[in-house]
Amino acid sequence: MRNTKVLVEGAVVSGIYTLLFLISMYIPLFSLVSLFILPLPFIIYLYRQDLKAGLLLWAVTFGVSLAFAGLNGIIVTLFAGLTGIVMGELYRRKKPAFAVLLGASLSNIVNMLGTLAIAQVFMGINFVKELETQFQSAIGTAEDFYKSGGQDPTQIERFKEQAELIPMMLPTYIIGGAVILAFLTHIAARMLMKRMRYDVPSFPPFREWNLPKSFLWYYIIAIVLTFSMPEKGTSLYIVTINLYMILSFVLILQGFTVIFYYAWIKNWKRKRIILLIILLFLLNSFLPIPLEVVKFLGIIDLGFMIKKRLKPKQ
């Protein structure tokens, strides 16, 4: 009886996934959000059943995707299915939100690397080279515009240097994109599962987020490597710039938790906090100091636990 129920539910969920899949493939606007919507059927089904049933559903949707969209469909379902199964299993095991985020992020990284490999081997598409070529083309157009307008094109040199970093910064782009996508998928899954009255873990308030202290030591190592001036293009250079960029973002995030905690103590209104954040980013676009200050707050918080020393008024 239970097996029949599992199969029937699996067929229904497979149909729902197929509908979402077809919409994402043929309606451009929906494809923008499909990456964090398509894993939802897998998440719900696996949460209600078990890992074996989820893997069976994944196998079925592979066949459907291949029939409707060929290799592109396989790539999409590979991406959605792996993320959905990992998150569904972690939800079913009652893991905390940060564990779900980590698992989903790792699965997204695997998905992205797999997509790049499939595109390279089976389609002959090198996304990194394509992106670099388009960036160089845009720079060439901008340079011609500057020259035709009689303006000094020296500023273009800075953009050319950035274009050279694109292939080297690929790990940062992949990790950053994987985490953001995992976070959006968790938010979407939690909204849906709460409506279905399932017990879904939530993140603590942002002001209470605390990253491991080890991140501070990793950042110090990245700074030391930066000052060692590794030769451009070498493996050590690529590791250094990616490590520095990722950890800088992490420490800026930690710094913002300090700002939010202070705002909570002072009972600031939400509008005031949002205005402060917008102002910080606007000022940073002219002079890259505000976010460095926020990063410094993050460093001090990890090292000396500022938030624990800031006590709300009784």
Side-chain angles (χ1 to χ4, degrees):
M1 182 69 180
R2 183 182 181 279
N3 289 337
T4 302
K5 182 180 178 181
V6 171
L7 290 174
V8 171
E9 186 174 336
V12 173
V13 173
S14 177
I16 293 172
Y17 174 80
T18 302
L19 178 62
L20 293 174
F21 171 80
L22 292 174
I23 293 173
S24 69
M25 294 297 292
Y26 298 107
I27 300 180
L29 289 177
F30 186 80
S31 63
L32 296 175
V33 297
S34 64
L35 286 177
F36 62 89
I37 296 297
L38 286 176
L40 297 183
F42 294 98
I43 294 172
I44 302 296
Y45 184 65
L46 200 141
Y47 182 85
R48 288 173 54 86
Q49 303 301 334
D50 55 28
L51 182 59
K52 183 179 178 181
L55 292 173
L56 180 60
L57 174 66
W58 197 16
V60 171
T61 54
F62 266 124
V64 173
S65 303
L66 180 63
F68 280 107
L71 185 58
N72 289 334
I74 289 291
I75 293 174
V76 172
T77 299
L78 174 70
F79 206 119
L82 181 58
T83 301
I85 286 171
V86 169
M87 293 183 70
E89 180 66 10
L90 291 172
Y91 286 138
R92 193 172 65 86
R93 295 187 182 188
K94 308 299 181 183
K95 296 296 183 181
F98 280 112
V100 175
L101 180 66
L102 177 61
S105 298
L106 291 175
S107 66
N108 286 337
I109 290 172
V110 172
N111 284 328
M112 291 178 183
L113 293 176
T115 301
L116 291 175
I118 291 172
Q120 177 71 46
V121 174
F122 295 100
M123 302 178 182
I125 300 173
N126 188 324
F127 281 109
V128 178
K129 290 293 183 183
E130 290 290 332
L131 185 61
E132 189 177 8
T133 300
Q134 291 181 10
F135 203 88
Q136 293 287 3
S137 176
I139 289 174
T141 303
E143 192 172 14
D144 293 339
F145 176 77
Y146 269 76
K147 289 180 179 179
S148 63
Q151 302 180 40
D152 184 10
T154 54
Q155 188 179 359
I156 300 298
E157 294 301 320
R158 181 166 60 90
F159 294 107
K160 288 182 178 179
E161 293 177 1
Q162 291 178 352
E164 293 177 0
L165 289 175
I166 289 176
M168 303 178 195
M169 293 292 292
L170 184 60
T172 297
Y173 300 145
I174 289 177
I175 293 172
V179 173
I180 292 171
L181 185 57
F183 182 78
L184 293 174
T185 305
H186 169 74
I187 296 299
R190 189 166 186 275
M191 290 172 62
L192 177 60
M193 294 173 77
K194 279 185 66 178
R195 284 186 171 274
M196 300 174 74
R197 297 187 178 181
Y198 294 146
D199 183 21
V200 185
S202 62
F203 290 107
F206 180 65
R207 63 178 181 272
E208 297 178 6
W209 288 20
N210 287 299
L211 297 166
K213 283 191 175 182
S214 57
F215 277 73
L216 185 56
W217 293 107
Y218 299 149
Y219 182 69
I220 292 173
I221 292 171
I223 291 176
V224 172
L225 290 174
T226 302
F227 281 112
S228 69
M229 301 295 290
E231 185 179 349
K232 193 172 184 179
T234 61
S235 298
L236 181 59
Y237 179 83
I238 294 173
V239 169
T240 299
I241 60 173
N242 283 281
L243 188 63
Y244 180 80
M245 290 298 295
I246 292 170
L247 291 173
S248 292
F249 175 78
V250 166
L251 291 171
I252 288 172
L253 193 68
Q254 184 68 38
F256 274 115
T257 68
V258 177
I259 294 174
F260 273 68
Y261 190 82
Y262 181 80
W264 174 68
I265 288 176
K266 296 297 183 180
N267 291 319
W268 287 3
K269 293 182 178 179
R270 185 173 297 180
K271 291 181 180 179
R272 189 174 180 181
I273 302 173
I274 294 173
L275 182 62
L276 176 62
I277 293 172
I278 293 174
L279 182 62
L280 285 172
F281 278 99
L282 286 176
L283 291 174
N284 195 77
S285 62
F286 297 102
L287 191 63
I289 292 179
L291 290 187
E292 290 297 319
V293 174
V294 176
K295 187 203 300 186
F296 181 72
L297 282 176
I299 292 171
I300 298 299
D301 190 35
L302 284 185
F304 301 98
M305 296 180 290
I306 297 177
K307 293 201 291 285
K308 286 189 176 181
R309 300 172 188 274
L310 294 172
K311 300 295 183 181
K313 293 181 179 180
Q314 299 297 327

